Amino acid sequence: TGVPTEEDVSAMQSPFAVTMIENIGGGGGERVCLSDVCSGASEEALDLIHQCLKFNPTKRCSAEMALRHPYVAEFHDPAFEPVYPHGPIKIDVDDNTKLSA
């Protein structure tokens, strides 16, 4: 997916995430093509992986969107995929605290 844009980093809404991304370096490294990393994957598989691995959480596909993707179409059955009726589930985790082992 490449180096995240300022918009992508800002969408993470986490100062700690910003620091982590800045510390990765990323500017001068050679970009790796997803199809090289997943050399046996089909175009549909690569497309789904790409949609799931976006830095910007607002641009990432949702679970519902992923289940409708052509790559998993043969497994998709809306009758057995209930949708939580009260919107997204929020887990109260502080992403701005660095933990260590």
Side-chain angles (χ1 to χ4, degrees):
T1 60
V3 178
T5 65
E6 284 187 35
E7 174 192 359
D8 293 338
V9 174
S10 176
M12 290 181 207
Q13 299 180 353
S14 169
F16 184 59
V18 172
T19 303
M20 287 177 44
I21 289 170
E22 288 172 351
N23 289 328
I24 291 173
E30 187 176 320
R31 186 175 179 167
V32 177
C33 185
L34 186 60
S35 60
D36 291 340
V37 175
C38 305
S39 58
S42 68
E43 288 297 318
E44 287 181 340
L46 292 171
D47 181 62
L48 178 58
I49 293 168
H50 182 74
Q51 290 183 40
C52 292
L53 293 180
K54 295 189 181 285
F55 278 103
N56 187 330
T58 64
K59 294 180 180 177
R60 238 177 264 147
C61 72
S62 67
E64 286 181 74
M65 291 168 55
L67 287 169
R68 289 192 302 263
H69 192 277
Y71 182 68
V72 294
E74 68 181 284
F75 306 107
H76 178 49
D77 185 351
F80 294 101
E81 298 163 5
V83 176
Y84 183 66
H86 304 293
I89 297 172
K90 303 278 185 189
I91 300 172
D92 190 23
V93 175
D94 183 4
D95 287 339
N96 297 312
T97 302
K98 183 176 180 179
L99 303 175
S100 59

